[in-house]
Amino acid sequence: MDYDVIVIGGGLVGVSIAWGLSRCGQRIAILDEGDVANRAARANFGLVWSSSKGLGNAAYSRWSRTSTANWHRLAAELKAETGIDTGFVQSGGFSIRLTPTELERGIASMARLADQQGMDAEGTPPLEYEILDQAETRRRLPLIGETVAGAIFSPLDGHANPLRLFAGFHKALQQRGVHYFPHRKTTAIRHRAGGFEVAGEGWRLGAGKIVLAAGIGNTALAPMVGLSVPLSPSRGQIIVTERLKPFLSHATGYLRQTDEGSVLIGESKEATIDHQRPRGPITAVLAERALRTFPLLRDARAVRIWAAFRVVTPDGYPIYEQSERFPGAFAVACHSGVTLAANHALVLPRQISAGALSEDLSVFHSRRFHVPAAV
Ligand SMILES: Cc1cc2nc3c(=O)[nH]c(=O)nc-3n(C[C@H](O)[C@H](O)[C@H](O)COP(=O)(O)OP(=O)(O)OC[C@H]3O[C@@H](n4cnc5c(N)ncnc54)[C@H](O)[C@@H]3O)c2cc1C
């Protein structure tokens, strides 16, 4: 075998897992399609956010909260290893509600989330949040727009710079001697001699285990090893302003100021992957909501607008599984690869190295999509 593990996909999920596997002493290669690919890792909003996640799936809430709490360790260890500061700030996050109806819906949704069975488990930080009325929101965020109805605040939420996180992983991988192969689109995977042969145009490599971490590319790769990774189209658009004087020390669900001063305004959700280019009507809605939230943005110049495609399963929860037909082949697909980076780097690799995913992750098996239709 050329490697212990080949990770297919060098996006945020792939590099997080590869770094963790390397720390477990595994010999790793990462194969990536290259810059032609649609990459969520380079176009996301950068929230490290768990408070609103997991309605309908308490295990996802617990997994997100654990990762959010583990982020301190991830940021510190990456910085110690590479000198790269991921810009992680965990001063709490505000889910801003522009109208009374939005606020009521937010309160009801948080109450349903908190009341779910199985929300707590030993070692998982509790779900903590506060409901803030208009006056209290204004007291904590004095520059907020006058018509903002209120907010939900959670102390565990925060944000980071996803590009620096990505660069940190890549630098660490290089220093660790992990082999990173760009321009290696995997087109075939065969199970051979108790391991796997991974191949593309003019090349092939062997490993004892493989991890499919190819984002939306996983759908095509999974059947090659008896897995299924269904994904639903979801497009997101983000506006970035010029650098402004610091005015916002906390992340909010759709607006944050980076440590470099730029303000990120996002993010739309459209059920399509048809248009890569930003669309005017979406930009207008994002800008209008941002101005209602922080009127001081009226004078800010937008310097960039982009659109990208999320990696989202039909129910929005991740897929973590090992192939039953071809043990040693793992698939990982998820939204929130920034939030979950800490678990992907610090928790999951130990399980992949040991050859078995923990019972806690069984709820994320893709068999949940294979329910026979009622007759
Ligand atoms: C607009 C937007 C906003 C977001 N905001 C947040 C946020 O605030 N917080 C958060 O936690 N998450 C956020 N996300 C989600 C986050 O960006 C993704 O969960 C994460 O980047 C997914 O990483 P990935 O590695 O699975 O996919 P990708 O980054 O898409 O990487 C997949 C990689 O696989 C490679 N590949 C594909 N097919 C093959 C093949 N056959 N062979 C070899 N390589 C292949 C590609 O080259 C690519 O590099 C957002 C996403 C979007 C689009």
Side-chain angles (χ1 to χ4, degrees):
M1 295 292 164
D2 300 303
Y3 297 96
D4 295 321
V5 190
I6 290 178
V7 177
I8 304 175
L12 194 44
V13 169
V15 296
S16 309
I17 294 173
W19 182 67
L21 286 169
S22 164
R23 284 157 52 99
C24 293
Q26 305 279 296
R27 288 175 308 127
I28 309 296
I30 304 175
L31 307 176
D32 193 68
E33 182 178 357
D35 290 340
V36 291
N38 285 315
R39 286 186 172 121
R42 293 199 178 148
N44 68 70
F45 195 62
L47 293 180
V48 178
W49 198 271
S50 55
S51 61
S52 53
K53 294 192 174 143
L55 187 56
N57 186 334
Y60 183 51
S61 171
R62 293 199 309 272
W63 182 242
S64 301
R65 275 180 276 146
T66 312
S67 195
T68 310
N70 281 339
W71 241 94
H72 284 290
R73 222 179 101 204
L74 172 64
E77 294 188 13
L78 258 189
K79 187 161 184 197
E81 202 168 311
T82 63
I84 294 179
D85 183 342
T86 55
F88 176 54
V89 177
Q90 195 170 44
S91 50
F94 290 85
S95 290
I96 304 217
R97 304 293 162 160
L98 290 178
T99 64
T101 313
E102 279 185 17
L103 183 60
E104 275 162 34
R105 280 203 199 119
I107 294 169
S109 154
M110 289 306 289
R112 285 206 309 278
L113 177 67
D115 282 351
Q116 288 183 127
Q117 266 199 339
M119 286 294 280
D120 296 315
E122 210 186 312
T124 307
L127 174 68
E128 285 180 57
Y129 69 95
E130 288 173 76
I131 291 160
L132 314 180
D133 63 13
Q134 191 169 46
E136 183 58 17
T137 305
R138 175 167 280 282
R139 196 184 68 74
R140 297 196 199 184
L141 298 173
L143 296 170
I144 202 94
E146 276 175 16
T147 58
V148 168
I152 295 163
F153 176 78
S154 170
L156 196 57
D157 292 334
H159 58 143
N161 181 321
L163 293 181
R164 293 215 296 265
L165 171 67
F166 201 47
F169 277 128
H170 273 281
K171 186 168 178 192
L173 289 164
Q174 197 181 13
Q175 288 175 181
R176 290 176 160 273
V178 168
H179 290 174
Y180 176 77
F181 297 97
H183 316 298
R184 292 262 176 119
K185 178 171 180 168
T186 298
T187 53
I189 308 172
R190 287 181 208 94
H191 192 243
R192 199 162 277 176
F196 296 88
E197 188 182 83
V198 181
E201 217 179 296
W203 59 270
R204 64 188 58 219
L205 287 171
K209 296 190 187 103
I210 55 168
V211 178
L212 307 187
I216 49 182
N218 267 354
T219 303
L221 295 171
M224 297 177 194
V225 286
L227 292 166
S228 148
V229 178
L231 296 169
S232 298
S234 177
R235 179 187 184 277
Q237 194 169 305
I238 292 173
I239 306 174
V240 185
T241 73
E242 63 184 329
R243 292 178 183 184
L244 303 176
K245 277 197 197 133
F247 72 93
L248 184 57
S249 53
H250 298 72
T252 80
Y254 58 86
L255 201 149
R256 70 185 189 89
Q257 186 169 30
T258 69
D259 56 357
E260 289 154 346
S262 312
V263 177
L264 263 69
I265 300 164
E267 44 169 317
S268 61
K269 280 199 178 76
E270 296 168 77
T272 175
I273 53 168
D274 282 351
H275 335 271
Q276 175 100 51
R277 291 166 67 84
R279 296 178 56 213
I282 303 289
T283 309
V285 172
L286 297 180
E288 195 258 339
R289 286 182 67 87
L291 289 181
R292 278 160 73 194
T293 310
F294 286 108
L296 64 85
L297 291 173
R298 184 154 291 115
D299 299 325
R301 270 181 304 176
V303 292
R304 248 175 319 142
I305 303 173
W306 69 69
F309 309 120
R310 298 183 183 83
V311 181
V312 195
T313 63
D315 61 6
Y317 306 124
I319 290 177
Y320 299 105
E321 75 182 83
Q322 176 168 200
S323 173
E324 280 157 30
R325 263 176 70 204
F326 304 107
F330 295 83
V332 178
C334 67
H335 187 264
S336 301
V338 182
T339 304
L340 297 176
N343 278 1
H344 292 163
L346 302 171
V347 179
L348 199 59
R350 287 201 301 270
Q351 301 179 16
I352 294 173
S353 289
L357 297 183
S358 82
E359 188 49 35
D360 297 358
L361 294 182
S362 59
V363 63
F364 300 117
H365 196 288
S366 68
R367 68 170 78 87
R368 67 187 191 270
F369 301 117
H370 307 154
V371 180
V375 276

Coordinates of all heavy atoms in Angstrom, one line a residue, residues 17 83 88 138 198 236 252 316 333 375:
I17 N -9.8 16.4 8.4 CA -9.7 15.0 8.7 C -8.2 14.5 8.5 O -7.7 13.8 9.3 CB -10.7 14.1 7.9 CG1 -12.1 14.5 8.4 CG2 -10.4 12.7 8.1 CD1 -13.2 13.9 7.5
G83 N 1.8 28.9 13.2 CA 1.9 30.4 13.4 C 0.7 31.1 12.8 O 0.6 32.3 12.9
F88 N -10.2 33.1 15.3 CA -11.4 32.6 16.1 C -11.7 33.5 17.2 O -10.9 33.9 18.1 CB -11.0 31.2 16.6 CG -12.1 30.6 17.4 CD1 -13.4 30.5 17.0 CD2 -11.8 30.1 18.7 CE1 -14.4 29.9 17.7 CE2 -12.8 29.5 19.5 CZ -14.1 29.4 19.0
R138 N -30.6 46.7 21.9 CA -30.0 48.0 21.6 C -28.9 48.3 22.7 O -27.9 48.9 22.4 CB -31.1 49.0 21.6 CG -30.6 50.4 21.5 CD -31.8 51.3 21.2 NE -32.1 51.3 19.8 CZ -31.4 51.9 18.8 NH1 -30.4 52.6 19.1 NH2 -31.7 51.8 17.6
V198 N -7.2 3.7 -5.9 CA -7.9 4.9 -6.3 C -7.2 5.4 -7.6 O -5.9 5.4 -7.6 CB -7.7 6.0 -5.2 CG1 -8.5 7.3 -5.5 CG2 -8.3 5.4 -3.8
G236 N -25.6 29.8 -2.0 CA -25.5 30.9 -1.0 C -24.7 32.0 -1.6 O -23.8 31.8 -2.3
T252 N -23.0 37.8 14.2 CA -24.5 37.7 14.1 C -24.8 36.6 13.0 O -23.9 36.3 12.2 CB -25.2 39.0 13.8 OG1 -25.2 39.2 12.4 CG2 -24.7 40.2 14.6
G316 N -30.4 18.0 5.8 CA -29.5 19.0 6.3 C -28.5 18.5 7.3 O -27.6 19.3 7.7
A333 N -19.9 13.9 4.6 CA -20.5 15.0 3.9 C -21.3 15.8 4.8 O -22.1 15.3 5.6 CB -21.4 14.5 2.8
V375 N -47.1 2.1 1.4 CA -48.0 1.6 0.3 C -49.5 1.8 0.8 O -49.8 1.9 1.9 CB -47.8 0.2 0.0 CG1 -46.6 0.1 -1.0 CG2 -47.5 -0.7 1.2

